[in-house]
Amino acid sequence: MKLARMLRPVCALLPLALAAAAAEDLVPLKIELPKPLFVGTPRPIKVSNLEPQQAGNPAPLLVPAGTALLSRNKPVTASDSLPVIGELAFVTDGDKSGVEGSYVELGPGLQWVQIDLGAAHKLAAMAVWHFHAEARVYHAVVVQVSDDPAFKAGVTTLFNNDDANADGLGKGSDFAYIETYRGRVIDARGATARYVRLYSNGNTSDELNHYTEVEVYGSP
Amino acid sequence: MPKTLSRWLPLALLTLAALALRTRDLAARPMHADEANQAVRAGELLETGRYAYDPRDHHGPLLYYGVLPVAWCRGQGTLAGLDEVTVRLVPALAGTACVLLLGLLAAPLGRWPSLAAAAFLAASPPAVYYSRYFIQETLLAASALAAFVCARQWLREGRARWAGAAGACLGLMLASKESAPLFALAAFAAFLLARAAGGPPLPGRPARGLLAGAAAAIAVTALFYSSFGAHPSGLRDLLGGYGQALARLRGANTGHEKPWWYFLRLFTWWRAGGLVFEEAGFAALVLAGFCAALARGTPLLRWAAAYSGLVLIALSAVPYKTPWHAVDLAPGFALLAAGAVAAPSRTRPGRWAASAAALAVLGMLAFQADRSARAYASDPRNPFAYVHSSPDVLRFRPMAEAALGRSPDGVIRVISEEYWPLPWYFRGLARVGYWDRPPADCDGALVIASADLAGAVRSRLRGAYAESYLGLRPGFVCVVFTPRP
C-alpha cells in the first residue's frame, strides 16, 4: 500500500512526460566531428628553455628567519643505484644549469632519490629541478620526509601529484607542472626529519627519471 | 653436406638472424607520427579498397599496398583491426630481403666476403631501426637491391627476362618514393664510372633488354600510381609529386635542414645527452674498402664505391635531411666494408686479421643496432628516433576508452596544432574529433589540448574538469581535461 501511494504521482506525470516528448519529437543530437588531417613529418622542436605557463616571477615562499640550505653535498641514494647517465652526487652538488653533466638519469618507471641530511632538522622548504632543457612534465611526483631511512615509519608526505596512485603511495591532489629553470618550490610546513625522498614515474618525453638538483631548506 | 646446402645455408641462417633482429618486440615502440599517418591510410585502403596517391606528402603507393597481404594473412580486414605488428612487418620483411639480396649482389667478391657484406647490412643500426619502422625507405632499398641484382644478371647472361625483372624492380622503386630516380641515376652513373676502368663486355642486343626493362618499369609504376586502374589521375599527380619532392630538397624552411656532415656523423660518432651511438669501426672498414676499390678493386667494388660516393654527395648536398636516408647508404657501405675485409684475405695472416676485424665490427654493429632499435627506440638522444612520439602516447587510448565507458554518448575532443599519432591510437573509437584551434564548444567526455591552446580551451569549458599532463613527443606537452564526477 505504501509503495502504491509513493508511485501515484509518478504514474500521474508519466503520460504528460511522454506526450511532451512526442510533441517535441526529441532525437539524439548528432555532431559532425572533424576528421584528422594527414600531415608530413613533424618538425623538431628547438627550445633551450620554455616557460609557457606563467608570466613574471611567482610569489616567494615565506620561511622562518634563519632558514639555511641543508642539503648541499649531502649523501644521496636511489632506487637505481647505478645510473647510466650522471652520478647521484649531482642531486646535491649545486649545479642547476640543466646541461649535460649536471643531471643524473634514473631508469624507466617508478624511481626515487633520497637525501640524508645527517641529522633531523625542522624543514621549511624544498626546491626540485628534474630536467629543464625542454618542456616536459614528470609523472606522479611525490615528496616525503622521515627519520626512518627505509621510509616505513613516521613518513610525512609534503607533495603528491600522483592522481592515479601510480606510485602506490596513495592518491595526491597537488598539481602536475611543466619543468622550467625555476624548478618547483615545495612548502615543507615545518616537518622535522633527517631523510628526504622524492619519487617520480617517467615523464612526458620518455619513461626515464632525472634530477638536476634538489635543495632542502630548514633550521640548521 | 651437399654442395648446394653448404653454399646457401650460411646466407639462409644470416637472413634468419636478420629477420629476428627486425621482428623482435615489433610492437613495443610507440608509433611515430609518420608511421601513424601512413598506417591510418593503409587501414583505410584495407577497409574500403580505395587509395589515391597524394602528391603533397606520404610518398608512393607501394607501402600501403604492401600492408594488404600481411593483413590478410593475419586475418585483419579493417582499420580498427589493424595493429602495429602487421604494418611494421612490411618493412621488416623488406629489410630482411635486403640482406639476402645484398648477399647475392656481393657474390663476385667471393663466398666469405659476400657473407660479410650481408652480415654488415643485417646488423647495421639504421637498416635494423628503419626495418622496424612503417615508412617507405626500406622498401625503396629492397627494390633497388633487387633491381641491381637483376640488372647484373642481365649484364652477365644477356637474357631479356632479367632486364624485364630489373625494370619491374625499378617500377617498385618508383612506386616506393619520389626520391627513387636519384638512386636509379646514381646506380647508372656509377656503372658508367666503374666501366671506364674496364669490365666485362655488354650483352648482345642491349636494345631489346632495355626495351623490356623500360616497359616493365612503366607498367609497374602505372599500375601502382593509378591505384590499379581505379584512379588514373594518380599518374598525372606523380609529376606534381616530383615537383614537391624537389621543392623539399631545396630546403625552403622545412624544419629538417641539417649541415652537410650529418650523414657522416650518423655513420661514425653521435653523442647526445651522455649517450653515444657509434659505428666508428664500420666507418673505418668502409673507408678502407673505398680506398681498395679505387686502387685495385673489382668492377663490383668500383661500382659500389662510385654509387655510395654519389649518393652520399647528393644526400649531403641538399639541406633537407632526415635520418632514414641512411638506409639508402647502408647497402653500399656494407659492400665496401666487405671489400676491405676481402682485400687482405689472400694470405693466411691477412685472413685471420680480416676475420677478427670483421667479427669485432659486426659485434659492435649488432650491439648498437639492438640498443637503438629496442633499449632507446624512442629516446630523443637516439639519432634514428627522429622527432619521435613519447611513450606517453600509449596512455591516451585507455583514457579515451575509460571516458567513453563513463559517458558512451560523449565526445572526445583533440584540440591541438599537432595531434599525430593520436588518430592511430583512437582508431575504431566512435565520436573522436580533431581541431587545430579551439572550437566554440570545447566540452567533452575527454578533452585533449596542447599546452599552448590549453588556456583558451580552459576558458571555454563549461563543466568542471580535472587536469593532467601527457606528452605527445619531447617538448610537446598536452593537457588532458577529464570531467569531474
Side-chain angles (χ1 to χ4, degrees):
Chain A
M1 285 301 286
K2 197 176 177 184
L3 181 66
R5 247 197 334 269
M6 285 170 69
L7 287 175
R8 200 172 297 139
V10 177
C11 294
L13 288 173
L14 192 60
L16 287 174
L18 288 172
E24 290 177 21
D25 200 16
L26 296 178
V27 291
L29 178 63
K30 285 184 181 171
I31 300 172
E32 192 69 26
L33 299 174
K35 289 191 171 180
L37 301 170
F38 291 104
V39 297
T41 305
R43 294 171 179 223
I45 295 173
K46 291 174 183 168
V47 285
S48 57
N49 208 330
L50 198 65
E51 176 67 335
Q53 294 296 302
Q54 55 189 141
N57 290 318
L61 183 69
L62 300 176
V63 295
T67 296
L69 176 61
L70 307 172
S71 55
R72 180 63 48 83
N73 295 325
K74 288 291 191 299
V76 179
T77 53
S79 51
D80 182 354
S81 55
L82 287 172
V84 175
I85 307 292
E87 297 168 23
L88 292 176
F90 291 178
V91 176
T92 54
D93 68 351
D95 181 356
K96 305 169 202 166
S97 60
V99 298
E100 188 184 329
S102 69
Y103 58 84
V104 62
E105 177 178 296
L106 308 183
L110 176 62
Q111 300 285 352
W112 52 260
V113 294
Q114 183 171 315
I115 302 167
D116 179 1
L117 299 174
H121 292 269
K122 189 176 184 189
L123 306 178
M126 271 173 239
V128 185
W129 290 260
H130 284 103
F131 182 94
H132 55 89
E134 68 174 25
R136 60 169 64 174
V137 177
Y138 281 81
H139 296 308
V141 173
V142 178
V143 179
Q144 294 181 330
V145 294
S146 175
D147 281 331
D148 176 8
F151 275 74
K152 288 186 176 162
V155 176
T156 303
T157 300
L158 300 179
F159 183 90
N160 184 343
N161 67 16
D162 181 9
D163 60 352
N165 195 21
D167 295 350
L169 300 168
K171 283 189 178 183
S173 58
D174 289 305
F175 290 118
Y177 58 93
I178 295 180
E179 290 285 323
T180 72
Y181 66 92
R182 288 175 173 150
R184 188 68 175 183
V185 178
I186 295 165
D187 187 352
R189 304 192 291 267
T192 300
R194 173 175 172 176
Y195 300 97
V196 177
R197 189 180 273 198
L198 302 99
Y199 296 84
S200 61
N201 202 332
N203 66 83
T204 52
S205 289
D206 56 43
E207 295 168 300
L208 304 170
N209 299 274
H210 305 85
Y211 288 88
T212 299
E213 190 71 14
V214 175
E215 291 184 338
V216 184
Y217 294 88
S219 303
Chain B
M1 188 184 290
K3 199 176 170 185
T4 311
L5 188 64
S6 66
R7 184 181 169 200
W8 291 108
L9 188 62
L11 185 57
L13 291 175
L14 202 52
T15 307
L16 279 177
L19 180 66
L21 264 177
R22 282 153 178 76
T23 52
R24 190 175 170 201
D25 297 336
L26 204 50
R29 181 174 50 78
M31 290 286 267
H32 184 274
D34 287 359
E35 288 185 287
N37 246 292
Q38 300 183 145
V40 169
R41 285 171 69 86
E44 288 176 356
L45 170 63
L46 179 69
E47 195 167 302
T48 65
R50 286 195 295 274
Y51 167 82
Y53 170 64
D54 175 4
R56 291 165 303 171
D57 223 316
H58 314 297
H59 305 303
L62 183 63
L63 184 74
Y64 308 104
Y65 282 102
V67 169
L68 300 185
V70 182
W72 292 330
C73 286
R74 299 193 75 222
Q76 297 170 354
T78 60
L79 169 61
L82 204 59
D83 63 16
E84 285 86 348
V85 172
T86 294
V87 297
R88 286 177 177 161
L89 267 175
V90 178
L93 293 172
T96 306
C98 282
V99 173
L100 184 62
L101 288 163
L102 191 71
L104 298 175
L105 186 68
L109 294 180
R111 189 176 177 214
W112 294 111
S114 67
L115 281 174
F120 287 141
L121 185 62
S124 162
V128 171
Y129 191 87
Y130 292 115
S131 292
R132 303 163 56 88
Y133 204 98
F134 186 61
I135 57 170
Q136 288 79 2
E137 220 62 49
T138 308
L139 272 72
L140 174 59
S143 311
L145 280 169
F148 301 157
V149 169
C150 294
R152 200 196 60 198
Q153 284 301 107
W154 172 61
L155 290 171
R156 283 177 57 182
E157 299 178 13
R159 292 183 186 168
R161 68 180 181 207
W162 282 116
C169 294
L170 175 61
L172 292 177
M173 283 175 70
L174 296 170
S176 301
K177 219 177 161 187
E178 296 84 352
S179 57
L182 166 72
F183 304 103
L185 286 172
F188 183 64
F191 170 72
L192 296 179
L193 284 170
R195 273 198 71 80
L202 288 174
R205 292 195 294 174
R208 191 175 154 214
L210 288 173
L211 271 176
I218 291 168
V220 170
T221 308
L223 272 177
F224 276 101
Y225 279 96
S226 69
S227 310
F228 291 86
H231 186 247
S233 62
L235 283 169
R236 183 198 61 211
D237 292 340
L238 175 57
L239 298 176
Y242 285 130
Q244 285 281 341
L246 281 174
R248 194 179 300 146
L249 288 179
R250 280 198 288 269
N253 197 24
T254 62
H256 302 288
E257 294 81 8
K258 315 240 175 357
W260 67 266
W261 59 85
Y262 176 70
F263 289 107
L264 293 179
R265 200 179 155 211
L266 271 185
F267 277 98
T268 49
W269 191 271
W270 185 284
R271 184 189 163 93
L275 292 180
V276 173
F277 296 85
E278 62 97 359
E279 298 180 44
F282 178 65
L285 279 185
V286 173
L287 189 61
F290 192 84
C291 295
L294 294 185
R296 49 186 171 78
T298 62
L300 176 67
L301 266 191
R302 288 201 302 273
W303 174 84
Y307 175 75
S308 301
L310 288 171
V311 172
L312 180 61
I313 289 168
L315 293 179
S316 301
V318 294
Y320 179 94
K321 295 180 185 73
T322 48
W324 38 83
H325 287 127
V327 175
D328 304 310
L329 291 163
F333 284 179
L335 268 179
L336 290 172
V341 173
S345 298
R346 295 180 188 93
T347 61
R348 186 179 287 270
R351 203 174 303 143
W352 281 108
S355 301
L359 283 175
V361 167
L362 199 55
M364 183 51 91
L365 281 181
F367 169 70
Q368 295 286 351
D370 191 56
R371 192 166 164 258
S372 60
R374 296 196 317 121
Y376 294 100
S378 59
D379 193 300
R381 294 166 296 183
N382 177 352
F384 306 120
Y386 185 63
V387 272
H388 202 284
S389 308
S390 305
D392 262 9
V393 297
L394 301 173
R395 301 187 189 197
F396 282 100
R397 171 87 186 199
M399 289 182 99
E401 286 176 343
L404 290 177
R406 284 192 300 271
S407 48
D409 296 329
V411 173
I412 292 174
R413 296 185 190 274
V414 181
I415 307 166
S416 176
E417 308 87 336
E418 296 181 35
Y419 41 74
W420 288 95
L422 295 188
W424 165 258
Y425 287 108
F426 291 159
R427 68 194 186 282
L429 292 183
R431 308 177 73 74
V432 183
Y434 300 86
W435 290 261
D436 58 7
R437 66 197 69 173
D441 179 9
C442 286
D443 286 279
L446 188 73
V447 183
I448 298 161
S450 68
D452 282 354
L453 298 182
V457 169
R458 192 179 290 116
S459 69
R460 294 182 191 191
L461 291 172
R462 292 189 298 265
Y465 289 83
E467 296 183 24
S468 57
Y469 289 101
L470 284 180
L472 197 65
R473 57 191 170 91
F476 198 105
V477 176
C478 293
V479 180
V480 182
F481 297 91
T482 310
R484 290 189 189 278

